[in-house]
Short mmCIF file of all heavy atoms in Angstrom, two decimals:
data_model
loop_
_atom_site.label_atom_id
_atom_site.label_comp_id
_atom_site.label_asym_id
_atom_site.label_seq_id
_atom_site.Cartn_x
_atom_site.Cartn_y
_atom_site.Cartn_z
N ALA A 1073 84.70 167.13 92.42
CA ALA A 1073 83.68 168.18 92.32
C ALA A 1073 83.25 168.49 93.75
O ALA A 1073 83.05 167.58 94.57
CB ALA A 1073 82.47 167.72 91.50
N GLU A 1074 83.12 169.77 94.07
CA GLU A 1074 82.73 170.15 95.41
C GLU A 1074 81.26 169.79 95.68
O GLU A 1074 80.44 169.68 94.77
CB GLU A 1074 82.93 171.66 95.60
CG GLU A 1074 84.40 172.06 95.62
CD GLU A 1074 84.59 173.52 95.92
OE1 GLU A 1074 83.57 174.22 96.17
OE2 GLU A 1074 85.75 173.99 95.94
N GLY A 1075 80.96 169.61 96.94
CA GLY A 1075 79.59 169.33 97.33
C GLY A 1075 79.15 167.90 97.15
O GLY A 1075 77.97 167.61 97.15
N ARG A 1076 80.13 166.96 96.97
CA ARG A 1076 79.77 165.56 96.79
C ARG A 1076 80.23 164.63 97.88
O ARG A 1076 79.97 163.43 97.84
CB ARG A 1076 80.33 165.08 95.42
CG ARG A 1076 79.73 165.82 94.26
CD ARG A 1076 79.90 165.05 92.96
NE ARG A 1076 79.26 165.74 91.85
CZ ARG A 1076 79.04 165.20 90.66
NH1 ARG A 1076 79.41 163.95 90.43
NH2 ARG A 1076 78.46 165.88 89.71
N CYS A 1077 80.95 165.18 98.86
CA CYS A 1077 81.39 164.36 99.98
C CYS A 1077 81.73 165.28 101.15
O CYS A 1077 81.95 166.47 100.98
CB CYS A 1077 82.58 163.48 99.61
SG CYS A 1077 84.11 164.43 99.31
N ASN A 1078 81.80 164.70 102.36
CA ASN A 1078 82.11 165.44 103.57
C ASN A 1078 83.63 165.40 103.78
O ASN A 1078 84.14 164.57 104.53
CB ASN A 1078 81.39 164.84 104.77
CG ASN A 1078 81.66 165.62 106.06
OD1 ASN A 1078 82.09 166.76 106.01
ND2 ASN A 1078 81.39 165.00 107.18
N SER A 1079 84.32 166.32 103.09
CA SER A 1079 85.75 166.48 103.26
C SER A 1079 86.04 167.82 103.93
O SER A 1079 85.12 168.56 104.23
CB SER A 1079 86.44 166.40 101.88
OG SER A 1079 86.03 167.48 101.08
N GLU A 1080 87.29 168.11 104.11
CA GLU A 1080 87.68 169.36 104.78
C GLU A 1080 87.11 170.58 104.05
O GLU A 1080 86.77 171.59 104.70
CB GLU A 1080 89.20 169.45 104.81
CG GLU A 1080 89.73 170.66 105.56
CD GLU A 1080 91.26 170.73 105.48
OE1 GLU A 1080 91.82 170.32 104.44
OE2 GLU A 1080 91.86 171.15 106.46
N GLU A 1081 86.96 170.49 102.73
CA GLU A 1081 86.45 171.61 101.93
C GLU A 1081 85.03 172.01 102.35
O GLU A 1081 84.62 173.17 102.15
CB GLU A 1081 86.47 171.25 100.46
CG GLU A 1081 87.86 171.23 99.82
CD GLU A 1081 88.68 170.00 100.14
OE1 GLU A 1081 88.11 169.05 100.76
OE2 GLU A 1081 89.85 169.98 99.82
N GLU A 1082 84.26 171.08 102.91
CA GLU A 1082 82.87 171.36 103.28
C GLU A 1082 82.78 172.13 104.61
O GLU A 1082 81.72 172.68 104.94
CB GLU A 1082 82.08 170.07 103.42
CG GLU A 1082 81.85 169.33 102.09
CD GLU A 1082 80.91 170.11 101.19
OE1 GLU A 1082 79.69 170.13 101.46
OE2 GLU A 1082 81.41 170.71 100.22
N LYS A 1083 83.87 172.12 105.39
CA LYS A 1083 83.90 172.83 106.68
C LYS A 1083 82.74 172.39 107.60
O LYS A 1083 82.10 173.23 108.25
CB LYS A 1083 83.87 174.34 106.45
CG LYS A 1083 85.12 174.87 105.75
CD LYS A 1083 85.05 176.37 105.56
CE LYS A 1083 86.40 176.94 105.06
NZ LYS A 1083 86.91 176.28 103.86
N SER A 1084 82.52 171.11 107.66
CA SER A 1084 81.46 170.59 108.54
C SER A 1084 81.96 170.42 109.98
O SER A 1084 81.16 170.41 110.92
CB SER A 1084 80.98 169.21 108.03
OG SER A 1084 82.02 168.28 108.05
N TYR A 1085 83.28 170.25 110.12
CA TYR A 1085 83.94 170.11 111.45
C TYR A 1085 83.36 168.93 112.23
O TYR A 1085 83.30 168.96 113.44
CB TYR A 1085 83.81 171.40 112.24
CG TYR A 1085 84.34 172.59 111.48
CD1 TYR A 1085 83.48 173.59 111.04
CD2 TYR A 1085 85.69 172.72 111.20
CE1 TYR A 1085 83.95 174.70 110.33
CE2 TYR A 1085 86.18 173.80 110.46
CZ TYR A 1085 85.30 174.78 110.04
OH TYR A 1085 85.77 175.87 109.32
N GLY A 1086 82.96 167.92 111.53
CA GLY A 1086 82.45 166.71 112.17
C GLY A 1086 81.72 165.83 111.17
O GLY A 1086 81.62 166.19 109.98
N THR A 1087 81.26 164.69 111.60
CA THR A 1087 80.55 163.78 110.71
C THR A 1087 79.22 164.39 110.27
O THR A 1087 78.65 165.25 110.94
CB THR A 1087 80.30 162.43 111.38
OG1 THR A 1087 79.50 162.65 112.57
CG2 THR A 1087 81.62 161.74 111.75
N THR A 1088 78.72 163.90 109.15
CA THR A 1088 77.39 164.24 108.63
C THR A 1088 76.57 162.97 108.50
O THR A 1088 77.15 161.87 108.48
CB THR A 1088 77.50 164.95 107.27
OG1 THR A 1088 78.32 164.16 106.41
CG2 THR A 1088 78.08 166.35 107.42
N PRO A 1089 75.25 163.06 108.43
CA PRO A 1089 74.44 161.84 108.33
C PRO A 1089 74.87 160.98 107.14
O PRO A 1089 75.17 161.50 106.04
CB PRO A 1089 73.02 162.39 108.13
CG PRO A 1089 73.05 163.73 108.79
CD PRO A 1089 74.41 164.28 108.53
N ALA A 1090 74.93 159.66 107.33
CA ALA A 1090 75.29 158.75 106.25
C ALA A 1090 74.32 158.93 105.11
O ALA A 1090 73.10 158.94 105.29
CB ALA A 1090 75.27 157.32 106.75
N GLY A 1091 74.85 159.07 103.90
CA GLY A 1091 74.00 159.23 102.73
C GLY A 1091 73.59 160.66 102.41
O GLY A 1091 72.84 160.89 101.46
N GLN A 1092 74.10 161.63 103.17
CA GLN A 1092 73.69 163.00 102.95
C GLN A 1092 74.09 163.49 101.55
O GLN A 1092 73.39 164.34 100.96
CB GLN A 1092 74.31 163.93 103.99
CG GLN A 1092 74.04 165.41 103.79
CD GLN A 1092 74.47 166.28 104.94
OE1 GLN A 1092 74.08 166.05 106.08
NE2 GLN A 1092 75.35 167.27 104.68
N TYR A 1093 75.18 162.95 100.99
CA TYR A 1093 75.67 163.41 99.70
C TYR A 1093 75.21 162.50 98.56
O TYR A 1093 75.74 162.56 97.47
CB TYR A 1093 77.18 163.52 99.73
CG TYR A 1093 77.67 164.64 100.63
CD1 TYR A 1093 77.87 164.40 101.99
CD2 TYR A 1093 77.86 165.92 100.14
CE1 TYR A 1093 78.29 165.44 102.83
CE2 TYR A 1093 78.28 166.94 100.98
CZ TYR A 1093 78.50 166.70 102.31
OH TYR A 1093 78.91 167.71 103.14
N SER A 1094 74.24 161.66 98.82
CA SER A 1094 73.68 160.79 97.79
C SER A 1094 72.57 161.52 97.02
O SER A 1094 71.81 162.33 97.61
CB SER A 1094 73.12 159.52 98.42
OG SER A 1094 72.57 158.66 97.48
#
Side-chain angles (χ1 to χ4, degrees):
E1074 292 186 1
R1076 296 199 177 192
C1077 68
N1078 182 18
S1079 63
E1080 183 183 36
E1081 287 77 8
E1082 292 292 286
K1083 295 180 171 53
S1084 63
Y1085 306 112
T1087 60
T1088 50
Q1092 176 171 304
Y1093 292 87
S1094 179

